[in-house]
């Protein structure tokens, strides 16, 4: 059931991907645990073997497609076992030896490993930071431009429309990592991207208990190539994970509204503190990325980043928090934060904190953070 482009985000999230209502059948059918299906005679129909397709995936894929591109009948979504599985599927299905790809130099910390593998396959990798649309300078001759906006963890934003137009003029495809924004914050296909890719592990499903990824695409041939890659490598989600993800979508708008409001409240509370540097949140009117973000985003996400003077200060801050879990990833209903440099993969200061606002009462959350900062300063 495809939802109209005119209904609200909350209504769409609640209804997305549900099958036609049938008497005595559940509104959201339970997960289908099947490796094979009845298949007499000639091979036909959508479901033949569990690595190729699954009815539970189909409901979820339709739901995500309705969120990413409301009212667009020509859009297809493919779900994967993780966000990295989805990213890899686009990169390795579209690129071959001799091709050029442009990646963000300030993107997700696994990209250095991705770059090594691409280079080993004979693919030239160019990088540039997200801010200032710097990727424009290295686009000539590229087969694929990969955009991550807002970037993780620095929260820089680039102009997707501008970059997509420039890339297409040069004959390049465009993929946008939409993980941090979610479809409720940003719709890359509407901004000109060929692929919208995301980790559903984070705010999309929002409870920190599912690994999931997806690719949404409007071009049938491009979709077929990504689908073929999924089949070859078997990067498929389990039916239970797909069903839980679909169930979680129903509360996406409710969660996003509260979490994003909490992120803004926290950013406003931190703005005038002299013990914090480099505060970033695209929703702040004075954030360097706010002008561009406001032009292409409908919501600004639940992640705030800032830097404390030293590693020791940051670690004391993390230990002093009581309502915030020290954990990686982001987007869950329970607030999390971490000293990001501990992983070693991000080019950030030792005291850099990536903070993911949850759905707690805003006054409680802000008070806990301010108290922890004061205690860490002693």
């Amino acid at each position: 059931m495809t939802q109209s482009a005119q209904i609200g985000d909350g209504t769409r999230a609640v209804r997305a991907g549900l099958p036609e209502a049938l008497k005595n059948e559940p509104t959201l059918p339970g997960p289908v645990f099947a490796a094979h299906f009845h298949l007499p005679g000639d091979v036909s129909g959508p479901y033949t073997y569990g690595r190729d397709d699954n009815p539970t995936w189909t409901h979820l894929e339709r739901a995500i497609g309705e969120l990413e591109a409301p009212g667009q009948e020509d859009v297809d979504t493919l779900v994967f076992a993780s966000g990295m599985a989805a990213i890899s599927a686009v990169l390795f299905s579209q690129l071959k030896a001799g091709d050029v790809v442009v990646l963000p130099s300030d993107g997700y910390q696994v990209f250095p490993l991705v770059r090594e593998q691409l280079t080993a396959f004979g693919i030239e990798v160019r990088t540039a930071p997200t801010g200032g649309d710097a990727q424009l300078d290295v686009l000539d001759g590229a087969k694929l431009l990969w955009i991550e906006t807002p970037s993780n963890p620095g929260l820089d934003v680039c102009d997707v429309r501008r970059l997509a137009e420039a890339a297409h003029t040069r004959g390049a495809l465009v993929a946008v990592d939409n993980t941090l924004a979610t479809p409720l914050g940003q719709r890359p296909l509407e901004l000109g991207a060929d692929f919208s890719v995301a980790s559903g592990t984070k705010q999309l499903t929002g409870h920190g208990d599912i690994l999931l990824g997806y690719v949404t695409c409007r071009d049938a041939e491009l979709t077929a190539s990504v689908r073929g890659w999924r089949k070859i490598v078997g990067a498929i989600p389990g039916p239970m994970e797909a069903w839980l993800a679909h169930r979680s979508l129903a509360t996406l708008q409710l969660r996003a509204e509260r979490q994003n409001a909490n992120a803004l409240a926290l950013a406003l509370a931190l703005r005038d503190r002299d013990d914090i540097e480099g505060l970033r949140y695209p929703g702040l009117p004075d954030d360097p990325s706010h002008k561009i973000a406001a032009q292409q985003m409908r919501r600004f996400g639940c992640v705030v980043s800032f830097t404390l003077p030293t590693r020791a200060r940051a670690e004391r801050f993390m230990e002093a928090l009581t309502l915030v879990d020290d954990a990686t990833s982001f987007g869950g209903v329970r607030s999390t934060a971490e000293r990001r440099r501990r992983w070693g993969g991000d080019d950030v200061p030792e005291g850099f904190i990536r903070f993911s606002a949850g759905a707690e009462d805003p006054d409680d959350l802000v008070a806990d953070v301010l108290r922890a900062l004061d205690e860490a300063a002693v």
Side-chain angles (χ1 to χ4, degrees):
M1 179 173 61
T2 301
Q3 299 296 333
S4 164
Q6 279 69 49
I7 64 174
D9 285 340
T11 303
R12 184 176 296 109
V14 168
R15 305 294 305 178
L18 297 181
E20 182 180 353
L22 298 175
K23 185 177 181 179
N24 303 128
E25 295 291 329
T27 45
L28 177 61
V32 175
F33 300 102
H36 58 262
F37 301 82
H38 287 296
L39 197 63
D42 294 336
V43 176
S44 63
Y47 306 114
T48 58
Y49 184 60
R51 192 181 70 251
D52 296 340
D53 228 326
N54 176 289
T56 309
W57 304 351
T58 299
H59 296 315
L60 175 60
E61 288 170 343
R62 289 174 179 169
I64 294 173
E66 290 172 18
L67 296 176
E68 282 278 353
Q72 306 276 329
E73 297 286 350
D74 58 344
V75 167
D76 287 308
T77 296
L78 301 171
V79 290
F80 290 82
S82 68
M84 278 309 305
I87 289 171
S88 299
V90 173
L91 290 172
F92 293 107
S93 68
Q94 303 307 311
L95 299 169
K96 64 182 185 304
D99 286 340
V100 176
V101 61
V102 177
L103 303 178
S105 59
D106 54 347
Y108 183 46
Q109 66 155 345
V110 179
F111 267 122
L113 297 177
V114 173
R115 179 174 186 169
E116 289 180 12
Q117 191 62 64
L118 289 167
T119 302
F121 287 165
I123 297 163
E124 180 185 342
V125 179
R126 301 173 187 165
T127 62
T130 299
D133 298 343
Q135 290 173 305
L136 284 172
D137 296 333
V138 292
L139 266 181
D140 286 349
K143 173 71 179 300
L144 175 66
L145 167 64
W146 192 278
I147 297 171
E148 184 176 293
T149 182
S151 61
N152 173 29
L155 302 181
D156 269 325
V157 172
C158 60
D159 188 332
V160 176
R161 288 188 183 89
R162 182 186 183 201
L163 284 165
E165 289 175 3
H168 289 154
T169 298
R170 293 164 171 82
L173 297 170
V174 179
V176 175
D177 187 328
N178 204 35
T179 301
L180 201 145
T182 81
L184 267 60
Q186 182 172 263
R187 294 179 183 144
L189 298 186
E190 293 182 359
L191 299 173
D194 300 291
F195 302 97
S196 181
V197 187
S199 168
T201 307
K202 300 175 176 68
Q203 194 175 26
L204 188 81
T205 58
H207 294 82
D209 54 6
I210 302 169
L211 287 174
L212 192 84
Y214 70 86
V215 177
T216 300
C217 180
R218 183 174 283 113
D219 185 284
E221 290 187 11
L222 293 178
T223 300
S225 63
V226 176
R227 186 188 300 274
W229 181 263
R230 182 178 71 174
K231 177 183 176 71
I232 292 169
V233 301
I236 59 174
M240 192 66 192
E241 286 78 5
W243 184 85
L244 286 170
H246 196 170
R247 185 198 64 173
S248 298
L249 288 183
T251 60
L252 174 58
Q253 190 263 355
L254 297 172
R255 290 184 281 106
E257 288 295 326
R258 181 58 167 267
Q259 291 174 251
N260 296 3
N262 279 355
L264 178 59
L266 178 61
L268 289 170
L270 297 177
R271 187 163 53 174
D272 297 325
R273 288 189 67 104
D274 58 11
D275 56 347
I276 283 179
E277 296 179 351
L279 174 67
R280 297 300 303 270
Y281 181 64
L284 282 174
D286 56 353
D287 186 271
S289 292
H290 180 73
K291 181 178 180 180
I292 296 174
Q295 293 172 359
Q296 64 190 23
M297 299 181 73
R298 296 177 300 126
R299 295 175 176 85
F300 299 108
C302 63
V303 178
V304 178
S305 67
F306 56 91
T307 301
L308 294 174
T310 65
R311 170 177 175 169
R313 183 87 159 261
E315 289 175 346
R316 290 199 301 272
F317 165 69
M318 293 301 307
E319 291 171 0
L321 292 165
T322 60
L323 296 180
V324 182
D325 296 330
D326 189 340
T328 194
S329 199
F330 56 84
V333 291
R334 288 172 289 278
S335 290
T336 60
E338 69 173 335
R339 191 182 68 82
R340 190 65 185 163
R341 186 62 182 271
R342 65 183 178 175
W343 294 95
D346 293 310
D347 185 17
V348 294
E350 289 286 356
F352 182 95
I353 301 293
R354 184 181 70 182
F355 193 104
S356 173
E360 298 88 358
D361 286 316
D363 291 345
D364 295 335
L365 181 60
V366 171
D368 188 48
V369 172
L370 297 182
R371 178 196 52 76
L373 287 170
D374 291 340
E375 290 185 12
V378 176

